[in-house]
Amino acid sequence: MKAAYLKAPYQFEIRDVELRDLKPEEVLIRVKACGYCGHDNILAKYAAEDWQPFGHELAGIVERTGETVTRLAAGDHVAVETSIFDPGTDVSLNGRVDLDMNGPNFMSMGDNSMGFLEYVVAPELLCVKFSGLSFEEGAFLEPLGVAIDLIKTADIKLNDDVLVMGLGPIGLMALQMAKKSGARRVYAAQRSGADARIGLAKQFGADGVIFTDKVNLAEFAFERGA
C-alpha cells in the first residue's frame, strides 16, 4: 500500500507500508479524498523533525468492518472525525460534549493510518456516514466539525456581537453559523491581501473585516449600538 510521508522543511516522499489488523470496533476505509490543512503545513514547514504520515481531513468508502461494528457496512461513504467526546463523562452528560476530549483520537492512534494513504483504519465512533456529497465535499466534514465546536463553545446568544479570528475554511464556516445563531453583528479579523477570503466573508454576511496587520486588536474597541 502506498502512503505519503513528510518531513520539515517541505520534504515529501511516497512509501510502501502495511496496515495492522482491524480491532473489533474499527473499520477499513479506502481513501477517496483528503484535505491538506494548516496543521499539515505547520508539520511540513518546521514541526516534523522526522518522517511521518499526515492528513486527517478525509473521506472514503468502507471496505471491511470489525466484529463489533454495527452502524457501518462495506460500501458506505464516510468522513472521519479527528476526535470525539466520551458520552459517559459528566460534561457530556450535561450537554457540553464540546468540552470533553476523552474519546478516541484519529491523530494519536500511533500507526500508519493517516489520510494520505490508499487505506486507513479508524474507529467506528469517528466515522460519519454521508450521501449526496462528493468525496471532496465529504472531506470538509472534519473542519466543519471544528467550526461547530467553536460555535457551541462560544454559546452565542441573540444579539451578541461576534469576532471570528481568521478567514480560513473553518473561520468562514464559523462566520456563517454565528449569523445563523442570532448574532447581531459578526466581524472578522484577517490579514489584508487575502482578497478571495475577504470577499467570501462579506458574501457570507460579515459586518466588517478588521485587518490585523493594520489594526492593533488589543486597542480596538467596538462601539455597541453604532
Side-chain angles (χ1 to χ4, degrees):
M1 179 186 69
K2 301 296 183 182
Y5 276 63
L6 62 73
K7 180 182 177 181
Y10 292 111
Q11 303 173 69
F12 299 87
E13 68 178 29
I14 303 297
R15 296 184 177 184
D16 290 308
V17 301
E18 293 185 4
L19 282 180
R20 58 171 172 77
D21 293 335
L22 287 180
K23 296 178 182 178
E25 71 278 9
E26 294 177 331
V27 298
L28 177 68
I29 302 167
R30 176 158 54 95
V31 178
K32 300 292 289 183
C34 185
Y36 182 86
C37 85
H39 174 78
D40 298 316
N41 197 55
I42 289 172
L43 291 175
K45 186 175 182 179
Y46 64 85
E49 297 180 356
D50 201 357
W51 290 101
Q52 63 183 75
F54 64 102
H56 58 274
E57 299 175 352
L58 67 112
I61 302 173
V62 174
E63 291 280 313
R64 194 166 69 250
T65 62
E67 296 174 359
T68 63
V69 171
T70 59
R71 189 172 50 84
L72 299 173
D76 286 344
H77 292 192
V78 295
V80 176
E81 273 278 21
T82 300
S83 61
I84 196 170
F85 60 93
D86 180 344
T89 62
D90 288 343
V91 291
S92 295
L93 291 172
N94 284 327
R96 293 306 306 269
V97 297
D98 54 305
L99 300 180
D100 183 85
M101 302 290 289
N102 295 309
N105 189 309
F106 180 74
M107 296 177 70
S108 61
M109 290 174 62
D111 52 34
N112 291 325
S113 199
M114 294 297 286
F116 284 98
L117 282 77
E118 293 180 282
Y119 295 87
V120 299
V121 171
E124 180 189 23
L125 276 174
L126 294 181
C127 295
V128 179
K129 185 177 176 179
F130 68 87
S131 62
L133 301 174
S134 69
F135 289 108
E136 290 80 7
E137 290 168 332
F140 263 91
L141 292 177
E142 194 278 340
L144 174 62
V146 177
I148 292 171
D149 275 350
L150 289 173
I151 295 300
K152 189 171 180 64
T153 303
D155 195 22
I156 298 168
K157 299 293 193 302
L158 185 66
N159 285 329
D160 280 350
D161 290 337
V162 176
L163 174 64
V164 176
M165 300 291 290
L167 290 175
I170 293 172
L172 287 168
M173 289 187 283
L175 186 153
Q176 296 173 79
M177 284 187 274
K179 297 288 286 189
K180 297 290 187 181
S181 298
R184 182 182 64 164
R185 292 188 178 89
V186 179
Y187 300 92
Q190 170 67 46
R191 290 183 63 85
S192 62
D195 294 339
R197 296 182 177 192
I198 293 166
L200 282 172
K202 293 178 178 178
Q203 178 183 327
F204 294 154
D207 293 284
V209 178
I210 303 162
F211 298 125
T212 56
D213 52 333
K214 297 181 179 181
V215 173
N216 183 352
L217 283 179
E219 299 175 357
F220 195 93
F222 296 110
E223 294 184 10
R224 298 189 63 84

